[in-house]
């Protein structure tokens, strides 16, 4: 299999896949291309308000009361209609999984605090705290040690 990426600001964007037969990979590529809008935001809903949430304004995306919620830099909670696993494919690489039901903007994490019982919390700029699972924390440590 060959992979070719050409970045040209003057050319029209085009994605071409040549495959011998449909497969799970071609299906995943098609889903990714169809979902990608080139936008750097997602839509958030609060009461009757609908707002574009720029990726860099989002501190954490988590599940609260079985709803996907984005928490912005002011600490406001916005309902997101997408599923967390779908957002993980769309969000930039600086969004990292910190537990089974949360994604964090690593640029907005101020620090990691030890919690009672040996756990670790991520503390964000707006003051929001979210539990970091042991498995995810180990992955985060490996990621930072590799820098």
């Amino acid at each position: 299999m060959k992979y070719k990426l050409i970045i040209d600001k003057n050319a029209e964007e085009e994605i071409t896949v040549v495959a011998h037969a449909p497969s799970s990979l071609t299906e995943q590529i098609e889903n990714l291309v169809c979902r990608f809008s080139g936008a750097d935001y997602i839509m958030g809903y609060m009461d009757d308000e609908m707002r574009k949430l720029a990726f860099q304004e989002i501190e954490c995306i988590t599940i609260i009361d079985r709803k996907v919620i984005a928490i912005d830099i002011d600490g406001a909670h916005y309902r997101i209609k997408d599923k967390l696993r779908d957002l993980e494919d769309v969000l930039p690489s600086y969004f990292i999984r910190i537990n089974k039901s949360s994604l964090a903007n690593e640029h907005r994490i101020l620090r990691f605090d030890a919690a009672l019982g040996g756990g670790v919390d991520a503390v964000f700029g707006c003051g929001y705290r979210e539990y970091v699972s042991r498995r995810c924390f180990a992955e985060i440590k490996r990621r930072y040690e590799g820098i």
Side-chain angles (χ1 to χ4, degrees):
M1 178 185 294
K2 293 183 199 176
Y3 172 76
K4 184 177 184 180
L5 174 66
I6 301 170
I7 298 176
D8 183 354
K9 292 182 179 183
N10 299 322
E12 181 181 351
E13 288 187 346
E14 172 186 13
I15 297 175
T16 304
V17 177
V18 179
H20 294 286
S23 66
S24 63
L25 177 62
T26 59
E27 185 178 315
Q28 288 176 351
I29 293 169
E30 183 178 2
N31 289 337
L32 181 63
V33 170
C34 290
R35 278 198 318 258
F36 181 72
S37 63
D40 61 349
Y41 65 88
I42 54 176
M43 296 306 293
Y45 303 87
M46 181 193 304
D47 301 324
D48 293 333
E49 176 186 348
M50 181 172 76
R51 178 171 170 231
K52 287 182 182 179
L53 298 172
F55 292 153
Q56 64 268 19
E57 291 179 2
I58 299 171
E59 298 212 342
C60 182
I61 300 175
T62 189
I63 307 285
I64 300 174
D65 295 330
R66 303 179 109 184
K67 295 180 179 135
V68 179
I69 304 294
I71 301 164
D72 73 358
I73 57 177
D74 297 322
H77 290 56
Y78 291 90
R79 169 94 163 84
I80 306 297
K81 291 188 175 180
D82 298 310
K83 294 182 176 173
L84 198 62
R85 66 176 174 263
D86 295 337
L87 288 170
E88 197 168 17
D89 294 335
V90 174
L91 292 169
S93 62
Y94 55 84
F95 277 87
I96 56 175
R97 186 164 287 279
I98 58 172
N99 63 45
K100 185 174 150 186
S101 59
S102 298
L103 299 170
N105 180 341
E106 71 177 329
H107 298 154
R108 300 294 306 163
I109 297 174
L110 291 180
R111 65 184 182 275
F112 294 99
D113 281 347
L116 295 175
V120 175
D121 286 346
V123 180
F124 297 90
C126 70
Y128 181 74
R129 300 174 75 91
E130 183 65 48
Y131 170 74
V132 181
S133 72
R134 285 184 294 216
R135 181 175 25 166
C136 292
F137 190 65
E139 181 61 36
I140 292 167
K141 280 176 43 177
R142 276 193 294 274
R143 182 176 177 149
Y144 286 125
E145 288 169 356
I147 292 176

